[in-house]
Amino acid sequence: MPNSTLLLAQKLIARPSPTPDDNGCQEILSHHLGKLGFKIENMPFGEVDNLWARRGTTGPILCFAGHTDVVPTGPVENWDSDPFIPTIRDDRLYGRGAADMKTSLAAFITAIEAFVAEHGDHNGSIALLITSDEEGPAIDGTVKVVETLKARGELLDYCIVGEPTCTDKLGDTIKNGRRGSLSGNLTIKGIQGHIAYPHLAKNPIHLAAPAIAELAQTEWDQGNEYFPPTTWHISNINGGTGATNVIPGTVNMLFNFRFSTASTVETLQERAHEILDSHQLDYDLKWELSGKPFLTPKAELANAMSSAIKSVTAIEPELSTSGGTSDGRFIADICKQVVEFGPCNATIHKLNENVGVEEIEPLSKIYQLTLENLLTK
C-alpha cells in the first residue's frame, strides 16, 4: 500500500506550480499543519506566496524550510509521462518537483505528524518556512519572510532546508554550507574606428585581454576545511558591431565569483578593481551580490541529522558545501545552524525528474528522528 508521504508528494506534484505560482500547494500543507496545532501565517509579497507556521512558543526553534515552486518543464512532449501527473514506473516517482522539492515537503509534514503523535509535549517549537520564489528571482520569498521574522525578534536555532542533496544514495550527503555568488557586469571602453586605420581607434578587446588573463589566473584564496578555493569565471562576453571592418568601441563582460568564507565581498571587489586599474583601463563595473557564503560547523544540528541518517540508512553522511546557492543563504541571517538534506539530485531540473519510491518513507523517518534528537532531550 502507498505510504502517506508518497501520497502527499503525489498530491503536491499534481499541482502545476512553475515559479512563482504556488497553485494551492501551501494550502495543502497548511491543512495538515492546522490539525497539529500550528499557528499559520500567510505572508504574500508581490506575486509570491509564503507560509510561516509555528507550533510552540518556546525555544529551541527547529524550522523546516523549502519551496513549492518548480522550474519550467520544457517541451512536455519530450517527457515520458505528463510532468504534472505523478507517475510511478520501475519503482520511481516521476513528475516535475519529485526531487526538487515536493517529496521533501511531504516528508516534512509526515515526519512532524509522526513526531507530534508520539511527543505532543515536546520541547521548544517546530516551524515551517515555505516559499514559491526559490526557483525564480528570490526577491519576494524567503528573504522577505526572514526580514519579517528578524524585525520582530523571532530568531531560529536550527533549520533544515529540504533541498535534494544526495548523490548516489539517500543519506550520503548533508550540505552544511554554500558558497557565495558575486557577479560583475564589466564594460571596457575603447575608441571605435575603421579596422584599416587602427591608429585612429583603440581596440577594447585587445586592451582587456591581459587583464582577463590576470583575473583568470589569480588565486583569490585557498579555501578552508569546508570550502574549495574561490573561483572567478566569465559567463558572457560581447563586443563589436557584427562587421569585420569595424574596431569596436566597447567590450562587455559578465563574470561571477563563487566564493567561500575565506574571502569577503569587499576583498574580492577591491582586488578585482586593483587588477583592472593596474592595466590602466577605462571601464565601468557594476556588482550584484546574489548571496553570501554560509557555514554551519559540525554541532548539534549536523550531529542530530547525521545520527538520524545512520539509524535509518546505516550510512555515515558526508558534510559538503558543493553546488549552487539556496535559500539557506537568507535563513543563515537569523539562524546559526542551517543544513540542507533531501533526496538524490541526479534528475533535478531535467526531463523526467524522478525520485526512488524506496527513498520517500526513509526520508520522512530521518526528519522525524532529527526532531526527536533535538526536541526531546
Side-chain angles (χ1 to χ4, degrees):
M1 293 292 292
N3 61 60
S4 57
T5 311
L6 172 60
L7 291 173
L8 182 53
Q10 290 173 311
K11 191 173 184 179
L12 293 170
I13 293 168
R15 295 289 183 105
S17 56
T19 190
D21 189 4
D22 170 73
N23 197 17
C25 291
Q26 291 176 26
E27 184 178 352
I28 293 172
L29 302 179
S30 296
H31 176 74
H32 284 264
L33 296 171
K35 293 180 179 180
L36 299 173
F38 276 78
K39 179 184 176 183
I40 307 295
E41 291 184 65
N42 296 306
M43 295 187 183
F45 295 99
E47 298 180 342
V48 175
D49 291 313
N50 300 294
L51 171 66
W52 170 250
R54 179 170 172 175
R55 184 183 197 273
T57 58
T58 62
I61 304 175
L62 193 162
C63 177
F64 292 95
H67 59 90
T68 54
D69 60 321
V70 297
V71 295
T73 63
V76 174
E77 61 272 16
N78 290 342
W79 285 65
D80 292 338
S81 56
D82 190 305
F84 295 117
I85 297 179
T87 305
I88 296 176
R89 296 192 306 273
D90 300 323
D91 296 321
R92 304 197 70 81
L93 172 62
Y94 287 82
R96 177 58 87 216
D100 189 13
M101 57 178 291
K102 291 184 176 180
T103 295
S104 292
L105 297 179
F108 287 168
I109 298 298
T110 57
I112 294 168
E113 288 174 335
F115 174 73
V116 169
E118 295 182 16
H119 307 283
D121 58 349
H122 59 80
N123 299 332
S125 301
I126 308 170
L128 282 92
L129 195 171
I130 309 297
T131 185
S132 66
D133 185 36
E134 198 274 346
E135 299 290 8
I139 294 173
D140 289 324
T142 298
V143 64
K144 287 289 182 66
V145 179
V146 166
E147 289 171 358
T148 301
L149 296 175
K150 187 176 183 179
R152 64 194 197 194
E154 201 165 355
L155 307 182
L156 310 177
D157 296 283
Y158 313 115
C159 183
I160 299 169
V161 185
E163 290 292 341
T165 59
C166 299
T167 55
D168 298 314
K169 295 180 179 180
L170 178 70
D172 61 18
T173 306
I174 297 172
K175 303 283 189 183
N176 67 322
R178 294 277 190 165
R179 293 177 296 173
S181 177
L182 175 65
S183 297
N185 186 333
L186 173 65
T187 298
I188 296 174
K189 303 172 186 178
I191 298 176
Q192 183 174 306
H194 196 295
I195 209 161
Y197 301 92
H199 60 288
L200 300 177
K202 186 183 290 187
N203 194 318
I205 298 176
H206 294 184
L207 296 172
I212 292 173
E214 184 172 350
L215 288 164
Q217 294 167 8
T218 295
E219 180 182 79
W220 304 95
D221 59 49
Q222 296 182 338
N224 55 37
E225 178 185 0
Y226 293 102
F227 287 98
T230 291
T231 60
W232 179 90
H233 281 281
I234 295 172
S235 57
N236 288 272
I237 189 165
N238 182 62
T241 64
T244 60
N245 60 353
V246 179
I247 292 172
T250 61
V251 61
N252 178 256
M253 248 183 351
L254 303 180
F255 64 79
N256 180 265
F257 285 103
R258 289 301 165 109
F259 65 105
S260 73
T261 52
S263 288
T264 66
V265 173
E266 292 75 20
T267 58
L268 294 175
Q269 290 175 331
E270 288 170 7
R271 291 184 66 192
H273 280 286
E274 287 173 1
I275 291 171
L276 294 170
D277 292 341
S278 72
H279 290 273
Q280 300 180 330
L281 298 175
D282 182 8
Y283 68 91
D284 289 326
L285 177 52
K286 298 176 181 175
W287 295 97
E288 180 181 356
L289 176 66
S290 299
K292 294 181 180 180
F294 72 91
L295 177 66
T296 295
K298 193 171 183 181
E300 295 90 348
L301 178 55
N303 290 336
M305 175 147 276
S306 295
S307 174
I309 289 169
K310 192 168 184 179
S311 294
V312 175
T313 67
I315 293 173
E316 189 74 50
E318 173 191 1
L319 295 180
S320 170
T321 61
S322 64
T325 59
S326 76
D327 276 359
R329 68 192 190 273
F330 304 127
I331 299 168
D333 192 39
I334 60 169
C335 184
K336 292 183 178 179
Q337 296 189 44
V338 180
V339 302
E340 303 172 19
F341 181 74
C344 291
N345 55 26
T347 65
I348 60 174
H349 294 204
K350 293 184 178 181
L351 296 172
N352 298 314
E353 179 181 349
N354 66 85
V355 65
V357 172
E358 75 283 354
E359 298 180 21
I360 295 176
E361 195 56 37
L363 178 61
S364 176
K365 188 65 176 178
I366 289 168
Y367 292 148
Q368 179 188 345
L369 291 182
T370 304
L371 280 164
E372 292 182 2
N373 289 339
L374 291 169
L375 298 186
T376 61
K377 299 176 182 179

